[in-house]
Amino acid sequence: MPRTLDPELRRALAARIRYYNEMGIYDFYRRETSGEVAEAAVSDAVAVPIQPESREEMSPRKAAAVAVEENIFEVLAPKPEQGVSDPAKGLKIIREDLGDCTRCPLHKQGRKQIVFGVGNPATDLMFVGEGPGADEDQQGEPFVGRAGQLLNNMIKAMGITREQVYIANIVKCRPPGNRTPEREECETCSPFLMRQIAVIKPKVVVALGAVAAKTLLAMNASMAQLRGRFYDFKPAGVRSNDPNWEGCKLAVTYHPAFLLRDPRQKGEAWKDLQMVMKELGLKAPKSTT
Ligand code: URA
């Protein structure tokens, strides 16, 4: 019977995988778990609930170690898009793998449809928001409501168009009442976004708002601490099919919905975007007014 990952375990695994990825290690090979190894392994692993019927013969420590190992391989299993060089095809494979997703509670909390992402699969620039709102849920496309109109204007101010970039969200289903997605929802959904980033291989990802920034960077900090610099970013837990892709830069700026509420911060957001433009060699269009 397929088992879902315990959220604490998923967090611990994500951190462990990121650590290995940062050292350049992406390939993991399975080894039989013997009693002693299992006992040792569990000492720095996270305890997970064990199904008594399937684990009753084992000591709790050994059963936990076996569960950790099984789950590591579930997370690290090769992704079906690996080996596909066309990013559009890669995205299609990820969309098919996502299916009619029921992996987190959002699937039964009123979503109309999954909002996968939109734009140019061969872009240098990606924007990542928080999650679909009512308009996005209705239309199946990210950032099409009021915040989307402002995002379009921000993109235009950079001298490019919405069609030239790729836009996605941390969670692909609308949280009811536009509430902030729960951490568990973000962690369940974001591996698909990580895979999207790994096939698109942008030069820069812009995280729109704290939820996107904290999830992508796996870091808990305020917007004031997160903005104003680039981070070296590699999508966690996946390897790009291009061995020469070393990851990309990530910048954090304010979410357009926040800027609608507090337009005085638009100047600060523009500074963030100018930093991105410089990195990408973009020039703002000459003002027509
Ligand atoms: N806010 C987001 O974070 N994403 C959208 O797609 C729309 C609004």
Side-chain angles (χ1 to χ4, degrees):
M1 193 178 66
R3 294 181 302 126
T4 55
L5 278 182
D6 173 78
E8 276 306 315
L9 175 60
R10 180 177 283 283
R11 268 191 282 284
L13 286 175
R16 181 70 64 91
I17 291 163
R18 241 187 321 273
Y19 169 73
Y20 284 130
N21 288 172
E22 273 162 18
M23 293 197 299
I25 299 169
Y26 292 90
D27 294 323
F28 300 83
Y29 300 95
R30 183 160 207 172
R31 195 176 56 190
E32 271 310 301
T33 309
S34 71
E36 292 230 329
V37 173
E39 296 283 332
V42 76
S43 63
D44 69 339
V46 188
V48 287
I50 305 299
Q51 305 291 330
E53 64 280 7
S54 60
R55 309 276 180 205
E56 60 196 3
E57 299 297 312
M58 299 178 189
S59 75
R61 278 163 64 90
K62 182 179 173 189
V66 170
V68 166
E69 201 191 61
E70 283 176 3
N71 283 323
I72 283 173
F73 286 94
E74 192 181 317
V75 170
L76 295 175
K79 307 296 180 286
E81 69 277 12
Q82 266 162 18
V84 174
S85 56
D86 176 356
K89 281 195 190 134
L91 289 175
K92 196 160 169 275
I93 292 169
I94 299 167
R95 179 65 191 89
E96 277 163 14
D97 196 19
L98 184 63
D100 189 20
C101 186
T102 57
R103 292 169 182 83
C104 91
L106 289 179
H107 82 276
K108 51 180 182 208
Q109 294 186 359
R111 78 157 186 225
K112 281 202 171 56
Q113 56 188 315
I114 292 170
V115 180
F116 183 68
V118 73
N120 175 7
T123 188
D124 284 341
L125 179 58
M126 271 185 82
F127 288 89
V128 176
E130 182 175 309
D135 296 311
E136 291 76 21
D137 183 50
Q138 187 74 39
Q139 297 184 40
E141 183 171 325
F143 284 100
V144 291
R146 276 187 72 222
Q149 295 312 309
L150 178 53
L151 178 61
N152 291 349
N153 290 340
M154 290 160 71
I155 293 170
K156 209 163 146 194
M158 297 172 79
I160 49 177
T161 64
R162 178 180 170 99
E163 290 69 34
Q164 287 177 283
V165 305
Y166 192 89
I167 307 172
N169 283 306
I170 295 292
V171 296
K172 300 192 189 309
C173 296
R174 182 191 179 199
N178 295 344
R179 67 159 168 76
T180 304
E182 304 281 352
R183 186 167 158 176
E184 192 186 333
E185 293 158 356
C186 294
E187 286 175 5
T188 304
C189 202
S190 61
F192 289 92
L193 174 65
M194 298 292 183
R195 289 167 61 184
Q196 287 170 281
I197 298 173
V199 302
I200 293 171
K201 293 181 270 140
K203 291 196 172 122
V204 177
V205 172
V206 178
L208 299 167
V211 170
K214 289 183 196 178
T215 308
L216 289 170
L217 294 170
M219 187 186 269
N220 199 6
S222 68
M223 280 299 282
Q225 291 164 324
L226 289 164
R227 287 184 49 247
R229 53 162 290 198
F230 276 123
Y231 299 81
D232 289 325
F233 177 74
K234 275 189 185 161
V238 286
R239 179 168 37 175
S240 167
N241 51 28
D242 178 355
N244 297 320
W245 190 61
E246 297 267 300
C248 63
K249 300 231 178 285
L250 186 146
V252 177
T253 194
Y254 291 117
H255 193 288
F258 170 77
L259 294 174
L260 288 172
R261 292 194 300 275
D262 187 358
R264 289 168 308 175
Q265 302 305 324
K266 282 185 181 176
E268 288 300 300
W270 180 232
K271 283 187 202 160
D272 300 329
L273 297 183
Q274 282 177 307
M275 182 178 84
V276 172
M277 289 163 65
K278 193 163 171 220
E279 179 69 22
L280 294 174
L282 296 173
K283 294 231 171 335
K286 289 205 169 62
S287 170
T288 50
T289 55

